[in-house]
Amino acid sequence: FDGFRDKYPFVGDSRGLGAMRAIELVADKKTKAPLGAARVKELLHACEDRGLIAIKAGVHDNVIRTLMPLTISDADLVRGLDILGDALAAFKL
């Protein structure tokens, strides 16, 4: 998740512990102005279209939160992260 923060200009923060992680989506990385909820929905739909369900969170609905089960296989974890990464890579501000 920290790699997403470092790679994409619209990922303002990455946080979490263990299986619960979140990425905060921003319109401007310097000011941390939140990305609009409609744009976040676009990204969530892109994940869903690829086979990954993720949920929005945060006061401004600009956080994508994941909670992988503790019993997830390595293959499923990699697949889910790859899907999220593909959706982020395709997303344009």
Side-chain angles (χ1 to χ4, degrees):
F1 275 61
D2 291 343
F4 294 146
R5 181 192 61 221
D6 299 337
K7 186 173 184 177
Y8 299 108
F10 51 84
V11 177
D13 192 19
S14 165
R15 56 185 172 263
L17 184 63
M20 184 178 281
R21 301 288 305 187
I23 55 174
E24 182 177 359
L25 304 174
V26 296
D28 184 304
K29 208 166 199 169
K30 288 182 183 178
T31 66
K32 301 284 185 164
L35 190 65
R39 298 301 317 273
V40 176
K41 280 186 182 182
E42 289 176 32
L43 189 52
L44 290 173
H45 288 304
C47 288
E48 187 177 314
D49 291 345
R50 290 169 169 81
L52 177 70
I53 296 173
I55 60 172
K56 62 182 170 67
V59 174
H60 303 288
D61 287 336
N62 69 318
V63 176
I64 293 179
R65 190 180 70 172
T66 61
L67 177 56
M68 288 69 78
L70 296 177
T71 58
I72 192 170
S73 70
D74 289 346
D76 285 341
L77 178 61
V78 168
R79 181 171 178 256
L81 292 174
D82 285 347
I83 290 170
L84 180 58
D86 290 346
L88 290 169
F91 187 74
K92 304 292 183 227
L93 277 181

